[in-house]
Amino acid sequence: MASATSANLNAVRETMDVLLEISRLLNTGLDMESLSICVRLCEQGINPEALSAVIKELRKASESLKVQQQQHTKCHFK
């Protein structure tokens, strides 16, 4: 039983390594943790295209906030 569990864990690791490599080749910007979360969400039935759209929107919002913070910081130092 332990060897079956070990084999299963190795298969999962291998699969995640392959997915991470594909992710890197596609320049998704996802690290292993983020990719694992996305895979788990898809396994739970989340639409992959919808998940992709949410990630893109979150990245846009994050970038916008960074730009606003940089502009705000520049104004205080003038």
Side-chain angles (χ1 to χ4, degrees):
M1 185 76 170
S3 64
T5 302
S6 178
N8 189 24
L9 285 175
N10 286 337
V12 169
R13 282 190 195 109
E14 254 184 64
T15 300
M16 287 307 300
D17 287 343
V18 169
L19 288 175
L20 184 61
E21 185 60 28
I22 292 169
S23 174
R24 287 183 179 147
L25 289 170
L26 295 173
N27 295 319
T28 65
L30 297 174
D31 59 15
M32 181 62 92
E33 183 180 6
S34 300
L35 183 60
S36 294
I37 292 168
C38 290
V39 168
R40 279 184 259 148
L41 288 169
C42 290
E43 288 174 342
Q44 294 295 318
I46 299 296
N47 180 317
E49 290 178 11
L51 181 57
S52 173
V54 168
I55 291 170
K56 288 177 184 177
E57 284 300 313
L58 288 172
R59 285 182 176 165
K60 284 181 190 175
S62 175
E63 190 59 36
S64 176
L65 284 173
K66 286 178 188 176
V67 169
Q68 288 176 2
Q69 287 175 341
Q70 288 172 350
Q71 290 173 346
H72 183 70
T73 302
K74 286 179 185 178
C75 289
H76 285 294
F77 287 110
K78 284 187 176 181

